[in-house]
Amino acid sequence: GQSLEQPSEVTAVEGAIVQINCTYQTSGFYGLSWYQQHDGGAPTFLSYNALDGLEETGRFSSFLSRSDSYGYLLLQELQMKDSASYFCAVSGDSGYSTLTFGKGTMLLVSP
Amino acid sequence: NAGVTQTPKFRVLKTGQSMTLLCAQDMNHEYMYWYRQDPGMGLRLIHYSVGEGTTAKGEVPDGYNVSRLKKQNFLLGLESAAPSQTSVYFCASSDPGLNYNEQFFGPGTRLTVL
């Protein structure tokens, strides 16, 4: 089985940088993904890390350390529209085709 | 290109009633998934399918059945609804040829069981 830990809530101000951490315990691991969900709507894919290191996509970056079973999502130049829930998800425990999601981190961006 | 669609969007059932949730995708994806999302619980996988005619159990399959008779459709059935099945249900699909970790989600079905 798998377990993922991420903070339940993070607050920040516009223009700031915020890091959302995710630690995982798995019996098998292929990679770590991040998803964003606004107001209970459809989750949307942000990033995927299969190898150690940093992946950058615009204002968002994602990092993975396989040896530490740890990853994070870094959001820069925060905007009000970044207020949402962010989920980390791992693949590899129940076969390569499925994801196991963390409970999510609610990010609140204030002016 | 509608992506992933789900019907219905909302539904209220009485305990013991049955219903089917329909998921359709027009991206020709091989993989399809059904999740439920409860407050504070994140997304939990109910059942999934890696191709037409195949299904498999996820983390929380009890009380649900699924069918994938056509590649573009994935049906989730509740035979005898219980209040514990009150939840938001999301369907998703992905393409193993590209990045199966990038799942495309539907807008969700909000189900209340009284």
Side-chain angles (χ1 to χ4, degrees):
Chain A
Q2 302 185 116
S3 69
L4 295 92
E5 295 291 333
Q6 52 181 129
S8 59
E9 186 173 307
V10 173
T11 59
V13 296
E14 270 188 303
I17 298 172
V18 71
Q19 179 173 313
I20 300 174
N21 299 319
C22 176
T23 59
Y24 57 88
Q25 288 185 318
T26 66
S27 55
F29 179 82
Y30 288 101
L32 183 70
S33 302
W34 289 92
Y35 281 78
Q36 179 190 60
Q37 184 183 38
H38 281 102
D39 300 323
T44 56
F45 173 82
L46 292 176
S47 67
Y48 171 66
N49 294 67
L51 303 175
D52 286 359
L54 191 69
E55 295 278 346
E56 298 182 62
T57 308
R59 294 187 298 114
F60 293 4
S61 303
S62 56
F63 172 83
L64 176 65
S65 169
R66 295 174 70 108
S67 60
D68 295 324
S69 297
Y70 163 75
Y72 65 73
L73 180 69
L74 189 73
L75 297 84
Q76 303 181 73
E77 301 173 13
L78 281 174
Q79 302 174 9
M80 295 293 289
K81 67 179 182 180
D82 297 329
S83 291
S85 291
Y86 293 85
F87 296 87
C88 59
V90 298
S91 54
D93 187 59
S94 302
Y96 64 88
S97 58
T98 64
L99 297 176
T100 299
F101 285 82
K103 294 183 178 181
T105 299
M106 181 173 291
L107 171 63
L108 301 172
V109 180
S110 57
Chain B
N1 192 341
V4 180
T5 57
Q6 294 183 231
T7 52
K9 289 186 170 53
F10 302 91
R11 186 71 187 268
V12 178
L13 290 178
K14 294 181 179 179
T15 298
Q17 288 184 317
S18 63
M19 78 164 294
T20 299
L21 283 69
L22 172 64
C23 175
Q25 53 96 4
D26 61 1
M27 296 173 283
N28 201 35
H29 286 172
E30 285 292 336
Y31 296 172
M32 296 187 75
Y33 312 85
W34 275 107
Y35 295 91
R36 61 177 289 173
Q37 185 174 32
D38 303 298
M41 295 297 293
L43 291 153
R44 292 185 292 169
L45 184 63
I46 305 171
H47 286 280
Y48 65 101
S49 168
V50 297
E52 181 178 316
T54 73
T55 63
K57 294 180 180 180
E59 180 187 353
V60 289
D62 294 342
Y64 305 95
N65 56 76
V66 288
S67 65
R68 183 100 181 267
L69 299 179
K70 293 182 178 181
K71 185 177 182 179
Q72 64 267 33
N73 295 337
F74 196 26
L75 279 64
L76 178 71
L78 286 74
E79 291 186 347
S80 179
S84 61
Q85 294 178 304
T86 293
S87 188
V88 181
Y89 292 85
F90 287 101
C91 176
S93 69
S94 67
D95 185 340
L98 295 174
N99 174 12
Y100 74 86
N101 293 279
E102 182 176 2
Q103 296 186 4
F104 295 80
F105 283 79
T109 295
R110 281 139 184 88
L111 175 66
T112 300
V113 182
L114 302 175

